[in-house]
Every structure is written in C-alpha cells, then in structure tokens.
Amino acid sequence: MNNRFMQKFIEIAGRIGSQRHLVAIRDGFVAIMPLVIVGSLAILVNNFPAFGDFKFVEWMNGIFGDGNWQQVGGSIWNGTFAILGLLIAFSIAYNLAKSYSVDGLSAGLISAAAYIMLVPWTGDGGLNAAWMGTQGLFVAIILALILTELFRILVNSKFTIKMPEGVPEGVARSFTALIPATLILILVGLFQALMAVFAEVSVFEVIFTAIQKPLQGLGNTLPAAIIIAFVNHILWFFGLHGTNIIGSVIEPIYLPLIEKNLDLFQGGMSAFDVPYVVTKPFLDSFVFMGGSGTTIALLIAIFIVIRNEQKHPYREVAKLSAPAGLFNINEPVIFGLPIVLNPVMLIPFILVPVTLTIISYVALATGIVPKTVAILPWTTPPILSGYLVTGGSWRGIALQIVNLTVAVLLYIPFVLAGARTLKQRMEGK
C-alpha cells in the first residue's frame, strides 16, 4: 500500500513538473534571471551601506559628483526590473512555442507586441510605466500562454503564406507568421477597445486587483512560507526536483515582492522598513543554505559526529559534497548519502527548513534583522549572501549563523542514528 501510494505520488508530481505550460513559465523566469540579478545588484551598489567611517556613497559622490555615478545603476534598473512584464511576455511565449516546435521568436515578438498594446496610457500620452514591470507579471503570463496557443493553431492551419523552396529560412518564417500575427493583434486590439468602452478599466488593473494582489498578500505570510518549504522538501525526498516544480508557481508571486522592497530601498527607505518579509531571497539566503534541506548544516553535522572514522561512507560523501555545498549545490549529498527515500533523513530534511523558516520570519517581521532588498545568484555562499540580501547588514550574517547552528543541532541525532544503522548493516547484524 505504501509503495503504491509512493509510486502514485511520484507519478503525479512528475506529471505536474513536466507540464508544458508550467515548464514554459519556469523557463521563462529562469531566462530573465540574469537581468533580474544585475538590476538588483546595481541598486544595491547605488545604496551600499557604510563600513564604519567609510561611507561608500559619499566617497563615490566625491569622485564623480552627487548622484552622477548612480545614473548607471538607474539605467540598468530601467532596462531590467522596469520592463520585467514585457520581458516575461516574450520569454514565456518563446519557450512555450519552442516546446511545440513552432517559431519561438515570432511567438515571443507577438506576445510582447500584444502586451504593449494592452498597457494603459497616461494623461500626457505615454505608456503607464507602472504596468511594464512586476505589476504586470500575471497579465504577461496569461497573455503569453493564450496567444502562443492561438499562434500554434493558426500556424498549423491554412492561414499561412507558404514560400517556395530556395527562399531563406528567416524570410520564410516571417511570411509564415504574417497572417497569424495579423489576426492575433487584431483580436488583441478589439479586446482592448471593448475593455476601454465597456469596462473603462485596463485588463492590467482587473487582473492585478483580482489575482495578483491577493496572492502576493497571501504569499507574504508565515503559513505560506512554511507550505512552500514543506512541499519543496517532500518533493525532493521522493527524488523530484522540488525547486523546479514549484518555481513556476512561486516566481510570479515573490518576484514583485522583492522588486517592491528593492524599489523602496532605492528610494532611500531603510531595509528594516520595507514592507515584505517573505521573498525568494528570504528563502534562498536564510532557509536553503547549502541547497534545499539546509544540507550545508548536514555536512557540518557529519564532520562533527564522525571524526575518527576517515573511511566512513557518510564522511566520504560529506568530503566530496562540501565544495559544491558551499555554493548551494547539494545534489551530491541528496543522492549520494542518500537523502532521497531515506526514512532516517526524512524528518530532519523537512523539519530543519520549516524550523528555519519560522525563526527567520520572526527575526525579520519583528525588526531584529533587516528585510531582503537584493536578489543574488543562487550560488552565492552563506554569510556573504546574508550580508548582501539585507542591504549590507551584519544582522543578516548573524541570522544565518544562528540558523546554521540550529540546523546542525537538529541534524546531529539523525546523523548518529543513520551512521549506527549503516554500521549494523555493514556488519551484517
């Protein structure tokens, strides 16, 4: 019965993880992540904290003039976070079309063009920039999925222009997409006109109010963070890539939250005062240290418990896994120890991240530690990541040290039990 349930769970989770549209959303966000990180780091540099008497911002102002050097970071922001919705509209459509083996570039361009068509105008005749960024993410996702499905249907129908052989491939693709693109953009234009006449409100405002804003409010709660930590690790326990599977769900919710924190931090607000506690960097930096399961603490626990047996399997796996673990790459220990389908490690593998989620949430929500105001590469080692994501605060480092200490203490009894079980099995008892 248990085996049957396990097999069914793995099968269902695997199907969800490989579902075409969820994969396209996940890959769409992954594709723009370098831009997000660059934009985040640019604002962090623009507002870098002082080191004692050395004030970085004042020092830079003395060299380049007040605020002049910060225009570089501001321009990077404008090319990344400020147009995030537009980038996602293109990226998701591109990835979904490629999964169908149709022209991804044309699908992405059509989706981006349609997105621009739907952005409301300001009173002075320009596009409302507020909807070009993270506030428009859900519109971008929905639009990219719907229009790419429509594009796929039209491209595979009679509504295309077929060019003769010998015509360059790029030209042939353009003519193939011409009629589908025309029909799709006409439909989008009609939809926009109907919304303006009858609803007198943009689709951005409707979706943001009805879907995105409530989900973001829910996502910033401790129960939501605990559920994410639990689901991520139960999937990993069964050998499924939990981070990838839930990524397509949590990225649209948590990216706008860190963007808002970052925007306010850029405007001069303290990292203590920005509004959102639970963000993707919150989980990456304070919960998933060393990777899912806070496995860097597991490695430390192994080195503490198994000191004298140099050839012990646990210690050998830990030695091989430690260099990668410092950069949050933990597949060697997850599959090498293993943690996957190992009942001894199931409890700490789930208990540790859930416990650290609670500790970290309380620390940030009560103002003991600043909230997160930067997005870093996921390979950024602990200690450095704690300092940077909190806007350059030693309290971020302190919280990571506390969390690692708690995690090590929680892992030690289970390392002892696992090592004892392994020894008995090896001795044939």
Side-chain angles (χ1 to χ4, degrees):
M1 181 67 178
N2 289 336
N3 288 337
R4 197 157 54 241
F5 169 78
M6 187 183 301
Q7 195 63 37
K8 192 68 175 176
F9 177 86
I10 294 173
E11 182 182 336
I12 293 172
R15 286 180 181 176
I16 294 173
S18 60
Q19 204 280 327
R20 187 189 304 271
H21 299 86
L22 292 178
V23 170
I25 294 172
R26 182 198 71 202
D27 291 347
F29 276 95
V30 169
I32 67 163
M33 197 50 63
L35 300 178
V36 171
I37 292 171
V38 171
S40 172
L41 293 179
I43 299 308
L44 183 60
V45 171
N46 274 7
N47 299 271
F48 211 73
F51 289 94
D53 294 332
F54 176 68
K55 298 180 179 178
F56 176 78
V57 174
E58 292 184 7
W59 178 66
M60 292 292 284
N61 285 339
I63 297 174
F64 299 102
D66 288 349
N68 291 336
W69 63 277
Q70 291 175 314
Q71 293 180 19
V72 176
S75 298
I76 294 174
W77 171 273
N78 292 335
T80 53
F81 271 98
I83 57 167
L84 213 55
L86 179 63
L87 296 172
I88 280 294
F90 175 90
S91 184
I92 292 177
Y94 176 87
N95 282 286
L96 181 57
K98 294 295 285 184
S99 75
Y100 283 118
S101 298
V102 297
D103 187 2
L105 181 59
S106 293
L109 291 173
I110 291 169
S111 179
Y115 184 89
I116 293 291
M117 291 171 63
L118 294 175
V119 173
W121 292 76
T122 61
D124 57 4
L127 290 174
N128 190 332
W131 300 110
M132 295 287 287
T134 55
Q135 283 191 189
L137 277 183
F138 274 72
V139 173
I141 293 169
I142 295 168
L143 192 69
L145 296 179
I146 293 175
L147 296 191
T148 304
E149 288 292 344
L150 185 55
F151 176 73
R152 174 182 65 87
I153 293 169
L154 292 173
V155 163
N156 293 323
S157 69
K158 299 177 182 178
F159 298 99
T160 57
I161 300 173
K162 303 294 184 183
M163 300 299 290
E165 292 185 12
V167 174
E169 183 182 353
V171 175
R173 280 205 312 267
S174 297
F175 276 91
T176 300
L178 178 58
I179 295 178
T182 302
L183 294 174
I184 290 171
L185 294 184
I186 288 173
L187 286 174
V188 173
L190 289 172
F191 174 78
Q192 172 71 341
L194 291 172
M195 288 290 293
V197 172
F198 294 103
E200 297 182 350
V201 67
S202 74
V203 67
F204 283 87
E205 294 166 286
V206 172
I207 291 179
F208 181 80
T209 303
I211 301 175
Q212 187 167 339
K213 191 173 181 180
L215 284 176
Q216 289 175 3
L218 180 64
N220 191 46
T221 63
L222 178 58
I226 291 174
I227 290 171
I228 289 169
F230 177 82
V231 172
N232 179 35
H233 292 85
I234 198 69
L235 289 169
W236 267 114
F237 176 76
F238 285 104
L240 302 165
H241 201 300
T243 310
N244 281 351
I245 291 174
I246 67 173
S248 56
V249 177
I250 68 172
E251 290 283 1
I253 297 173
Y254 285 120
L255 196 54
L257 302 189
I258 187 61
E259 187 272 341
K260 185 64 176 177
N261 281 1
L262 187 53
D263 189 32
L264 293 172
F265 183 68
Q266 177 187 8
M269 182 179 288
S270 166
F272 287 99
D273 299 325
V274 295
Y276 296 112
V277 174
V278 185
T279 62
K280 187 68 164 46
F282 166 88
L283 295 169
D284 289 342
S285 299
F286 298 121
V287 180
F288 303 152
M289 291 176 285
S292 294
T294 322
T295 48
I296 193 170
L298 171 59
L299 300 179
I300 295 171
I302 290 173
F303 288 128
I304 291 173
V305 170
I306 308 172
R307 296 189 298 272
N308 300 323
E309 301 178 57
Q310 294 297 323
K311 294 299 182 180
H312 193 284
Y314 274 18
R315 189 177 178 86
E316 289 299 303
V317 170
K319 284 162 58 178
L320 293 172
S321 304
L326 290 174
F327 298 94
N328 304 320
I329 301 167
N330 65 348
E331 280 82 356
V333 67
I334 283 182
F335 294 101
L337 199 63
I339 292 173
V340 171
L341 299 179
N342 182 348
V344 175
M345 286 297 169
L346 171 60
I347 294 176
F349 188 66
I350 295 176
L351 177 63
V352 167
V354 169
T355 302
L356 299 193
T357 299
I358 296 170
I359 292 172
S360 303
Y361 184 92
V362 172
L364 271 67
T366 57
I368 298 173
V369 176
K371 301 181 184 74
T372 53
V373 291
I375 298 177
L376 306 176
W378 63 271
T379 52
T380 305
I383 306 303
L384 178 60
S385 62
Y387 178 77
L388 292 176
V389 295
T390 53
S393 172
W394 64 266
R395 297 178 186 229
I397 299 174
L399 177 58
Q400 285 190 320
I401 293 172
V402 169
N403 283 355
L404 284 173
T405 303
V406 171
V408 170
L409 293 175
L410 288 174
Y411 266 121
I412 282 176
F414 296 93
V415 171
L416 285 169
R420 190 182 310 117
T421 302
L422 180 61
K423 184 177 181 180
Q424 291 174 349
R425 189 181 304 129
M426 293 173 65
E427 293 176 351
K429 294 181 180 179

